[in-house]
Each structure stands twice: as structure tokens, then as C-alpha cells.
Amino acid sequence: MKKIFLLAASALMSLSLSSQQKELTLESVLDGTFSASGAGSITPLSDGEHYLTSEGGKLILKHSFKTGAVTDTILNLNNVRGERLFMFDGFILSPNEETILLQTNTRRIYRRSFTADYYIFTIRNNKIDPLTDGGPVQVPSFSPDGHNIAFVRDNNIFIIKMLFGNAEVQVTKDGEIGKIRNGIPDWAYEEEFMMTRAYEFSADSRMLAWIKFDETGVDSYNLPFFLTRTERDAYSQTLLTDRQQQYPTAGAANSKVSVQSFDIKSSVIRDMDLKLDSTGYIPRIKFVENDDNNLFIFTLNRRQNRMEIYSANPRSTLCTLILREEDDRYIDEQAYTGARFYGDSFILQSERDGHNHLYLYNLHGQLKRQITKGDFDVLAVHGYNAKSGTVYYESNESGMYDCAVWKIDSKGKKTRLTQEKGTSHAQFSTGCKYFINSWSDMATPTVVTIMTEAGKILSTIESNADVSLSASACGLIHKETFSFTTDGGTTLYGWMIKPFNADESHPCPLILYQYSGPGSNEVLNEWGVGFYPGGAFEALLAKNGYAVAVVDGRGTGRRGSDFKKQTYKHLGVMESEDQVAAAKYLGSLPYIDADRIAIWGWSYGGYNTLMSMSEGTPVFKCGVAVAPVTDWRYYDAPYTERFMQQPKENADGYHDASAIDRVNRLHGKLLIVHGLDDDNVFFSNTASYIEALINAGVDFDMQVYPGKNHSITGYSTRKHLFNRILRFFRENL
């Protein structure tokens, strides 16, 4: 890969030297100029030699894994029979590879969930038919034999029987908005357990199992939604409407969950006899591939420091505990999101030895072997060859802030498959004979290659030469890495972009950007570092005369579980101390003006901005907090209690972690920003904080965005927001 990229870089350099230098602007930062194309979403085919992609919402193309070349056109919307579609938003291939579900008219609900209209495309006869006439649906999925399609509509599960003329069968009838959800998670599960579909087909396609969510005891909140002028006219002068959202705050009631099964032939619904505490969670269910009567159910206690895995019989309803995982602090999400099943075995990720590693179990929960060991963290697992015992995975064992693709055999012999320093992410073929590798580093936009499982590069399918040229033409500034040791003896790592004229005779102001949340990282050797890819926004700040630095403090990831979990029960305390320490260290450098240092962040980063500015050390002249949590008693229960326990169990910790409770120590000018339709961090967080500021007689600046959620999206909105931030820094630094 290195040789290929150097040749491309040489050609780009000659091009950039002959081209006119372009100006780096906020518009070029926001419009995707520096966003590199990756491999995109691919669908590997069962032959292990090909994969599918979509193009332009009109084509589905078949590619060779050896070359990346298109070998066939599976779908062309201009040449189909039946329903005529203008375009599609996504597709799902059936397991038997005979039919494809086409997703259209997608309408977002929350971060991951959406409804859409779906159509069935039959490859053999090149024909499109509607999936259902009942309206938009959620999370459709094929049965393993490809003959049934399940989906959720209005909180109820339905099945389309394709062998019976696409007959539609309603499985559940008790689903009701705001009360009962069948097969789809509530907001908290979607956000914090990263799931959108909560049902599974059995391997023989005869049974369906799902998680049932009872939301009747969960507190409901009204989210105001302010209409645009066009919408207001359509609503006959109505200026404001709202919508309700169930949202369990820390210490309050969560949804009650249970697991049910449905016998597709007999239409019998059964309740699994699961011994789960009424306050517990079910973050995953999974049918075993080669055992029709084995449903794995993952459970967590409310404190999330004990995970149990049950083997359930969907017909007898008997649930047998096969594995228990416990932690003195909390179980990381990778334990259930990263579990993978392969025939008669499964791979579990665990931090039991101090780092996230892989463990191989049989289906009775008996440990066969620990797969990986060492002073590094596994970041993803991609495949397992049962015959050779080889496991394919990603880890940072080649460098703390790097990510490489590896394989390890049954005897523990490891082979590094990607050799470049930086970050590699793989998408493997069926059988793991090939993989598509997306590689980048801090200075290099993503290069996508096709590689063999031995690590040989077969072809380059995306070099992102245009992004490299734009970065060169606009003069994106080189990022310098650094480290320092705090007064408490902790070594922290960061990266920095400096203005061209920064030296002892021209000390410049400094802006710290951070996120700081548990297990997160902003210091990574990849093109995506910074708020926008390539560090483009940070480069724009540097162009305007600011040095910009990013430091990962205590509680962040890739340094083992003890480093990550030391913030347990005291969120925000160590994180803010470390940003203060970073400001003090960087302020001691001769080219930094220690009297002109700012900090900013979004979400957890916005929270830690407030915490850092009120840590007690007056080191920040100003700061910007976007969409911040201001008191963990206002945030959702699954996330908050994972790191803080319940308020009644950790009252002192909640007090110490509250930005509101330390508002009297706030030092520096503050700009606080929030979207009024934020369904993640409710605006009440900011409202309560500014009330505390007012009561304390503290002046502040504020910017709100009507109708905008946690991400405050939209080109015009983002342009307004970042112009506001730039103006604030200009006025105060």
C-alpha cells in the first residue's frame, strides 16, 4: 500500500505545485471538500468471490473481490418490471440471494431508527413489487431461508409469507405508541445499547423471537418543535407544536423488558421463562446458527456490572444460564455488541484481564481458549475459520492510536495483515479469503484497497486523489503530536496545529477542542481526526491565528480498562482536571500566550467544557459548550448509571459531577449553544444551567436553534453556528 500511495502523492504534488493556491474557508470546511470516500457499505456474497454495492440510488452492482471491478448489474431501475421507482435509499439482500428489499422514502425517527417504504425486487424475473400496502415500516429482515420477511409497523410485528403470495400475517396486536413496543427498542435502548431491531428468526425459519418493551412506567417529556415559515403556513398559522418522548432519567423507571417467541406454523406466542430482575436490561438476543431451539439472551443488571447469557428454548420457554461476566465497575458495551456466533462456537469480548480481548466459547458457555492477550485493546472482530481456528480482528497493538488488521491461529501465532502506520478498517468476504481495507493517517485521506487474507494488496479502488489535492491546494496544516506528564504523574497524549507565524516573538492564543467521554478518543492516527475530517476546522482556526490542540485525558479509551474506568462514579472531575493540566502545559510553551486560552466541545465535550471552566483554576479566558449535559440527573438512565450508578447510590458523585453545582466557580466568558428539539440531551440541561448563571450574577452568551436536534444539522445552520463560534473566539481571544 505504501508504494502505491507514494506514487499517487508524487503525482499530486506536481499537480498542486502547478495549480493556484486555494483559500481555506468555512464553506470548504462544511461542504465536504475534505471528506474522503471510504469503501462504503458492501454486501458480501456467499461465494466468497463477489460483493454488491449500490450506485446513485438506481443501480445495484456486482463486483469481484479480486479486482473490485464490476462484473454484473443486478438491478437497474430504468429497466425493471412492475412498480416503477425513481430511486432507492438502501437495500437488503435475502440470505438465498434471490430477492432484494429496496428502501425508499426514508424518514428519520432518532439517531439510528427510521421508517421507510420497501419493495421486493425478484432478481430472476427483474420485477419489483411492494412489500406491503399497510404503510411505512421499520427494520424489515429476511428469514434464513429467504421465504419470509418480518417487519415492525406501529409497534407491532408482521410477517410476509413469500411462498403464499406475499400474504401478510400480524404477529402481535398489543403494540401501542408510548406503551408497548414489539421488536423495536425504546429511545434509551436505541441510543445506549446501539440497537434498532430487537427480533430474530430461528435458523430453520420456523420461529421468531423478540424483545417486548413495556414503556408505560417511563416518564414522558414534551419536546417543542418550532415550525419553519413554510410549515407554519401549512399548519394554518400554528406557531408551535410538540411531540412526546419516553425518556428514563438517572434513577427513574426504565422500560420493563421480556422475550417472546412465535411459532410461525402454529401461530402460538410464548413468554420465555427468563429470570431477569424487573429493573434489568436485555441488550441483545441471537438465535444460534446450527441449533433451531437455541436462542441466546444477553441480560444486564441495572448497575451494568453483571452480564448473564442464557440459552433459551423458544418452544419450551426454558432459559438456562450458561455464562456470567462481572466487573467491579461496569461491563463495556463491546461485551454484547461485539459478540459473534460461528457454528458451534461464539467469540466474546471481555476486559477481565485489564484490556479488551477475545475469548472463544462453545455453545454451553465453556471457555475453549483466550484468543488474544497483551497490552493492547481489540477494537473489532471480523471472522472465524472453525477449521483452522483462525480469528480475524482489528486492534491497536501496533500503536496506541493506530489500528491494524490482524489474524491469529489456534496456536496463538499472529500475522499483521495491514502494514502501514495509521488506521485500517476491514470488510471481509464470506469465508475471509479477501478483505477491503480502508486506510488513512493524520496526513493522508483514506486509501481503499482490496487485500488477501495473507495481507497482499491486489488492487486500489479509491485513492481520494481529489481530496489530497484539495488539502494541498488549501494548505491544510500539518498536525504535530505531543505528550506531557501531569502533576499527578499521568502521561497524556495530544496533537496540535499551529499558525505559520507562531514563535516566541509572536505568542498566539490557544483553543483546546475535546470530547473526553468514557472510552472515547480524539487523538487518533487517521484522517477523520478533528471536528471535521482532516482537521479542517482546526486548520481554519490556525489560519486565523490560533493554535489548536486536542488532548485525551483520563477516562478515554485504548489504554486498558483501568485507565478508562478510573472516572467511575465521578464523571467530569478527572476529565476537567486533565484539560486544565493540558492548558497549563501548553501555556508554558514559548509560542503560546497563556493569557489567551479557550476550550470548546460538543455533547460530553460541551459538558466537560463547563466542568473545565469551573474546575477552580482560572486558566481559560473563554469557552464554547454545545449541547451540554449540565447535571447527570437530567440524562438517560442506561448511560448515566453505567458510569455513575443511581443518584440514591452515589449522591456525592452526582454533586461533584454537576456543572450546575459548581457554577459559582465558572471562570471566563461562556457561549452556550443548544438545539431546542434535542431528543438526546434535552434543552432543559441548558435552561437549568443558565438559570444558575443568572442567579449567580454571571454574564454569558447564548445561541439556540429552533427545530434542531442534538447534531444541529443542515448546511445553513452549521454555517451560522460555526460563524458564531469563530466570532466569539475573535471577540474574546
Side-chain angles (χ1 to χ4, degrees), residues 480 482 494-497 510-514 538 546-551 579 582 586 592 598 600:
E480 301 176 10
F482 64 89
W495 58 269
M496 178 190 292
I497 294 178
L510 170 72
I511 298 171
L512 280 174
Y513 167 67
Q514 45 73 53
E538 290 74 21
Y546 307 101
V548 184
V550 177
V551 174
Q579 294 303 312
L586 294 167
I592 299 296
W600 88 281

Side-chain angles (χ1 to χ4, degrees), residues 425-441:
H425 293 305
Q427 298 183 74
F428 275 82
S429 65
T430 303
C432 298
K433 184 178 179 181
Y434 310 98
F435 67 95
I436 296 178
N437 183 48
S438 299
W439 170 85
S440 71
D441 64 17

Side-chain angles (χ1 to χ4, degrees), residues 557-623:
R558 299 198 177 203
R559 298 181 66 174
S561 61
D562 284 342
F563 187 86
K564 177 176 64 178
K565 295 179 180 179
Q566 62 186 305
T567 61
Y568 182 59
K569 296 177 65 175
H570 296 282
L571 290 184
V573 177
M574 294 180 185
E575 300 95 308
S576 58
E577 291 173 352
D578 287 348
Q579 294 303 312
V580 168
K584 290 170 66 177
Y585 162 72
L586 294 167
S588 71
L589 301 178
Y591 52 84
I592 299 296
D593 186 343
D595 294 325
R596 291 187 294 162
I597 298 178
I599 184 171
W600 88 281
W602 197 305
S603 193
Y604 199 104
Y607 160 70
N608 200 44
T609 293
L610 301 178
M611 294 292 286
S612 300
M613 293 178 69
S614 53
E615 182 267 350
T617 306
V619 69
F620 296 110
K621 188 175 183 184
C622 65

Side-chain angles (χ1 to χ4, degrees), residues 271-275 311-320:
D271 293 306
M272 294 298 99
D273 187 18
L274 183 66
K275 302 299 187 291
S311 173
N313 186 312
R315 291 180 170 85
S316 72
T317 75
L318 178 66
C319 297
T320 304

